[in-house]
Amino acid sequence: MAIRLRKLHDQVMVITGATSGIGLTTARMAAARGARLVLAARSKDALDELADEMRSRGAMVETVAADVGNIADVEKIGEKAIARFGRIDTWVNNAGISVFGRLEEVKPEDHHRLFQTNFWGTVNGSLEAVRRMKHRGGGAIINVGSEVSERAIPMQGMYAASKHAVKGFTDALRMEVEKEGAPLAVTLVRPAAIDTMFAVHARNYMDKEPALPPPIYAPEVVADAILYCAENPKRDAYAGGASKMIAAGSRLMPALFDRYMNASMFKQQKSNRPSAANRRDALYKPDESTELRQRQGMPQNVHERSLYTKTSLRSSPLMTALVGGGALLAAFSLSRRFGR
């Protein structure tokens, strides 16, 4: 069955993790383009404030306070969308969290909680979306993976494992709905390092505050990729050329990239600021003081655009190959530097 995706101004869109970072940026951009929104996050107060903001600008918005790791909560998201708007055209599984620290030092319950949100939250949302969408005209299911969906990194090992799992689940789901002939586009969006509240919200076992390795991209780069895929069926989208470089280099030169990671990632994931003993995070409950912020405001230069992402989504295969060749060259250069 052919997949026909509506234009955003005619869509009903569900977004999880909608009160911060990528989810918040995507929600605001989608509202500005006329989409009707069903926004989900754990903080009811933040959702209410966000809904008031959007309704004051003419947007049609429903909210659901939900923990995506809880199947019953995710079912409520689907119920609210159908009850209010009658259908769902795009479901974006964006909610996620991380833990910084060596795998053997992290408490088992923290490992489990991370997976409950990142992996099972994506599974719960995707299967609810399939159930609600495939007999109501279909649409797009967009899962937010990561540049570490194929490349493990130290100090965020379980986060990388969860994003590997998200990729495997997304690929399997895509094949199953294709075999069935369901009118559903299943997309994996893989952001590079993004200037969001990611590091602030993460649980931290290190002596320094967490940091993200450069290059850092703006959350609008990811939101633009998500919204493009909501209108155009795509298998994958890399948000930030560095994400493509990491994936390509890891496939072609895995051992050399291990050396690169060992040489750089232990240092680059630590800031210069000590981590406070009473530090807050958002692993088990939202940090209300940091809700409704799209960006952390990282000290590094933030790339507001990505030529690779724009080209790969919108241009000809030849142009994409040329730009992708630059990513491969960069990957090879890194491997040469750290492979000696």
Side-chain angles (χ1 to χ4, degrees):
M1 185 180 294
I3 300 172
R4 295 183 177 87
L5 303 181
R6 299 171 186 264
K7 295 299 182 182
L8 275 176
H9 64 77
D10 192 32
Q11 282 206 21
V12 176
M13 179 179 290
V14 171
I15 303 172
T16 69
T19 57
S20 180
I22 292 168
L24 178 59
T25 306
T26 304
R28 285 173 169 158
M29 289 173 61
R33 292 174 60 177
R36 288 161 285 175
L37 298 175
V38 181
L39 305 179
R42 291 176 296 176
S43 172
K44 182 180 184 301
D45 290 344
L47 285 169
D48 289 345
E49 185 176 344
L50 179 58
D52 288 344
E53 169 200 317
M54 291 183 169
R55 288 168 185 152
S56 71
R57 298 175 182 173
M60 297 179 67
V61 182
E62 284 292 334
T63 63
V64 184
D67 183 334
V68 295
N70 184 315
I71 293 176
D73 280 7
V74 174
E75 289 174 347
K76 291 176 184 177
I77 301 172
E79 289 170 0
K80 178 66 75 73
I82 298 302
R84 173 67 191 277
F85 298 118
R87 68 171 196 269
I88 301 166
D89 300 299
T90 295
W91 187 301
V92 182
N93 289 302
N94 163 73
I97 193 72
S98 192
V99 175
F100 285 77
R102 291 178 179 269
L103 288 167
E104 63 184 315
E105 296 175 349
V106 176
K107 295 178 180 178
E109 56 266 32
D110 291 349
H111 283 319
H112 295 170
R113 176 61 186 179
L114 181 153
F115 239 85
Q116 192 68 28
T117 298
N118 294 6
F119 176 67
W120 288 110
T122 299
V123 171
N124 295 340
S126 296
L127 296 181
E128 179 69 10
V130 170
R131 186 168 72 90
R132 299 285 184 178
M133 294 169 65
K134 72 177 180 179
H135 298 305
R136 290 184 173 91
I141 298 171
I142 301 173
N143 293 337
V144 178
S146 171
E147 64 183 341
V148 300
S149 290
E150 294 180 71
R151 155 49 55 182
I153 58 172
M155 306 305 287
Q156 287 191 82
M158 198 57 69
Y159 177 78
S162 72
K163 292 301 183 177
H164 275 60
V166 165
K167 178 185 181 299
F169 166 78
T170 302
D171 289 347
L173 179 64
R174 183 186 305 109
M175 289 186 285
E176 290 183 5
V177 298
E178 286 177 351
K179 181 67 173 178
E180 184 182 352
L184 294 167
V186 180
T187 302
L188 182 68
V189 174
R190 291 185 253 197
I194 308 296
D195 183 13
T196 66
M197 302 303 290
F198 179 88
V200 175
H201 287 166
R203 177 146 294 192
N204 184 34
Y205 282 79
M206 305 185 299
D207 60 338
K208 303 290 187 181
E209 275 297 299
L212 297 182
I216 309 290
Y217 296 86
E220 286 81 1
V221 172
V222 191
D224 183 64
I226 289 171
L227 296 182
Y228 183 87
C229 295
E231 294 184 321
N232 303 273
K234 298 286 288 186
R235 187 183 192 279
D236 298 280
Y238 292 89
S243 179
K244 177 64 176 179
M245 181 199 76
I246 292 294
S250 296
R251 284 195 297 268
L252 295 173
M253 299 163 285
L256 291 178
F257 258 65
D258 285 349
R259 296 182 187 178
Y260 162 57
M261 294 293 168
N262 272 331
S264 61
M265 289 297 149
F266 286 91
K267 180 184 296 185
Q268 289 184 350
Q269 292 183 93
K270 286 186 177 183
S271 71
N272 295 323
R273 295 177 292 113
S275 184
N278 60 347
R279 181 185 187 275
R280 295 182 180 181
D281 61 58
L283 183 61
Y284 290 93
K285 61 181 181 179
D287 179 1
E288 299 288 351
S289 67
T290 59
E291 291 288 341
L292 299 182
R293 288 181 58 182
Q294 293 180 195
R295 303 192 188 197
Q296 176 184 338
M298 294 182 179
Q300 302 99 321
N301 177 52
V302 174
H303 298 271
E304 297 295 327
R305 297 173 181 81
S306 168
L307 175 62
Y308 176 80
T309 299
K310 182 177 180 180
T311 302
S312 64
L313 289 175
R314 296 173 172 85
S315 299
S316 68
L318 176 59
M319 183 60 70
T320 300
L322 291 173
V323 177
L328 287 172
L329 180 60
F332 178 72
S333 299
L334 281 174
S335 70
R336 292 277 292 178
R337 177 181 176 188
F338 292 98
R340 296 191 181 101

